[in-house]
Amino acid sequence: MKKIILSADVGKYETELIGRDLELTADDRKTVRFRTKMYDLSEGYIDVEGNSHLVELNKKSYIVGEQGQDKSEDTSKTQFLHQLACYTAITKFIEPGTKDNEIYMVLACPLSVLLIQDAKEEYKEFIKGKGPIKISVDGKDYEFEIKDIMIKAEGSGIIYLEPNLFNDQAVGIVDLGGLNMGWSLYNNKVCKKDDRFIEECGTDRLIDIVREQLAIYKKGNLVNKEIAEKALNEGGLKKAGKIDTESTVYVEKAKELYFEEVLKNIKAHKFNIDELDRVVFVGGTSQHIKENITNKLSHSYIPVNSQLSTVEGLYKVAFKKYGK
């Protein structure tokens, strides 16, 4: 019997898992990341490319990862896509062809789901499944059973990763994810139910604003979402293989407008960040607007690897609970 300890954040944008077989050493800890997207091969066969995986589950075939075409547009995560992405990632921690692989996991949960007990249990049981799970990934067969899942709030991993930031402090955590932004106010590491909220103001919203600004730059000519995302990641549109420096101004304006929207959402929910000891920004989108945050908020803090702070912190929780 193999006991595998994992933390997981199956996000709207990216699926991230950290963990290891308990029999291995800390140096064997592994991180698995890929886009939370899928393509149903019943719609037509394509070869697997890039950071993607060919997956067979319940006698159906899919491609999971960056090559996928369908992604989550829903706040809830009780969707087959999230289950499929999580199971695909788990196989990277076990040996193909083996049985008796027991998975113990701490799972990040959306704030909107966390606040409703029935929804939280539904999400937990949905990912957990019933009994052994058999799945084929990239032509290899895997079998495992998720024995137990602990649910923790999205964005909360930073508390366990860097606890000194929260000791005897009033700290707001802003989690900028793929679809949503989440807010949680912690007083000495304790967050009340009424001190959380979630809004659809994540990476997707930032990309929409980038599109709007680039359309202005191109005098009304629209830019598709993929090009806008590429421009965001690279700092501007490409022209003859090089960054068009004039377009950079508009990408920077989009970041500024997006951050203003984030701050307005916090204010609209009656939270005054000026009164707090610290405001911590986590999630991948935080890296896109790092300069905007630090220039505007002198008491802000952005972890070096903000994208993985949730799973890094929750892995500490997982190992403390299950690593025995």
Side-chain angles (χ1 to χ4, degrees):
M1 185 268 289
K2 295 286 188 179
K3 185 176 181 180
I4 293 89
I5 312 298
L6 300 173
S7 62
D9 186 1
V10 188
K12 304 294 189 300
Y13 184 85
E14 188 172 70
T15 293
E16 301 153 358
L17 272 71
I18 291 178
R20 67 174 171 92
D21 184 328
L22 193 56
E23 292 181 356
L24 303 178
T25 68
D27 292 338
D28 296 303
R29 195 186 79 164
K30 188 183 298 184
T31 300
V32 174
R33 303 171 64 182
F34 51 77
R35 289 293 302 274
T36 310
K37 298 197 297 181
M38 61 176 275
Y39 172 73
D40 189 333
L41 282 166
S42 66
E43 298 177 10
Y45 182 81
I46 57 174
D47 290 325
V48 180
E49 297 175 350
N51 188 15
S52 302
H53 304 282
L54 174 62
V55 180
E56 293 182 19
L57 181 65
N58 299 330
K59 299 181 179 180
K60 294 195 68 177
S61 298
Y62 310 88
I63 288 178
V64 177
E66 68 177 341
Q67 206 176 355
Q69 295 182 2
D70 298 324
K71 66 175 189 173
S72 175
E73 303 289 353
D74 197 338
T75 299
S76 166
K77 289 186 179 178
T78 50
Q79 298 180 14
F80 176 64
L81 168 59
H82 298 106
Q83 190 183 60
L84 184 67
C86 187
Y87 292 173
T88 301
I90 287 173
T91 66
K92 302 305 171 184
F93 297 88
I94 62 179
E95 293 295 324
T98 60
K99 297 184 179 182
D100 300 321
N101 295 297
E102 295 187 348
I103 309 298
Y104 295 83
M105 180 190 304
V106 174
L107 181 64
C109 179
L111 297 184
S112 56
V113 175
L114 188 75
L115 296 173
I116 305 169
Q117 184 62 28
D118 288 347
K120 185 172 74 171
E121 287 302 313
E122 180 187 9
Y123 179 47
K124 177 179 175 178
E125 293 304 314
F126 178 73
I127 295 296
K128 187 173 181 289
K130 296 180 180 179
I133 295 157
K134 296 180 180 181
I135 185 172
S136 174
V137 178
D138 298 325
K140 297 178 180 178
D141 295 329
Y142 298 86
E143 184 175 328
F144 58 86
E145 183 173 0
I146 302 176
K147 301 296 285 187
D148 194 49
I149 291 178
M150 173 190 276
I151 294 289
K152 287 289 186 181
E154 279 184 339
S156 67
I158 189 66
I159 299 170
Y160 311 102
L161 193 62
E162 301 190 53
N164 290 338
L165 295 174
F166 298 85
N167 291 334
D168 300 316
Q169 302 277 298
V171 182
I173 297 178
V174 184
D175 182 10
L176 301 177
L179 179 64
N180 300 318
M181 70 163 282
W183 164 272
S184 301
L185 174 60
Y186 285 83
N187 285 287
N188 194 23
K189 299 182 181 177
V190 176
C191 182
K192 300 176 183 177
K193 180 179 178 181
D194 291 342
D195 287 338
R196 303 185 194 271
F197 74 80
I198 190 168
E199 294 284 353
E200 289 191 2
C201 189
T203 306
D204 285 355
R205 177 59 186 146
L206 173 55
I207 292 171
D208 284 342
I209 299 174
V210 171
R211 288 187 70 196
E212 292 166 5
Q213 287 299 306
L214 291 178
I216 294 171
Y217 171 59
K218 294 174 72 66
K219 296 180 171 55
N221 291 314
L222 299 180
V223 171
N224 68 37
K225 204 157 190 172
E226 288 74 21
I227 291 177
E229 183 175 354
K230 191 170 186 290
L232 173 63
N233 291 331
E234 296 179 348
L237 291 170
K238 283 286 182 65
K239 187 175 182 180
K242 297 181 180 180
I243 295 295
D244 177 0
T245 54
E246 292 183 8
S247 71
T248 298
V249 177
Y250 293 83
V251 173
E252 292 303 316
K253 179 65 176 178
K255 293 179 183 180
E256 180 184 329
L257 292 171
Y258 169 73
F259 185 52
E260 287 177 3
E261 200 166 301
V262 168
L263 295 177
K264 285 177 183 177
N265 280 325
I266 297 171
K267 189 175 182 180
H269 284 270
K270 310 301 182 185
F271 293 100
N272 186 345
I273 58 177
D274 291 333
E275 296 176 348
L276 303 181
D277 293 297
R278 185 176 290 109
V279 185
V280 178
F281 288 80
V282 298
T285 308
S286 299
Q287 293 298 323
H288 286 302
I289 58 168
K290 187 173 183 177
E291 289 186 7
N292 304 82
I293 294 169
T294 54
N295 290 338
K296 182 80 173 179
L297 302 177
S298 60
H299 61 323
S300 63
Y301 176 75
I302 308 168
V304 174
N305 199 356
S306 63
Q307 176 102 10
L308 292 177
S309 60
T310 290
V311 283
E312 288 275 7
L314 295 187
Y315 177 72
K316 287 181 173 287
V317 177
F319 205 82
K320 184 176 181 179
K321 180 175 176 61
Y322 301 119
K324 301 173 184 177

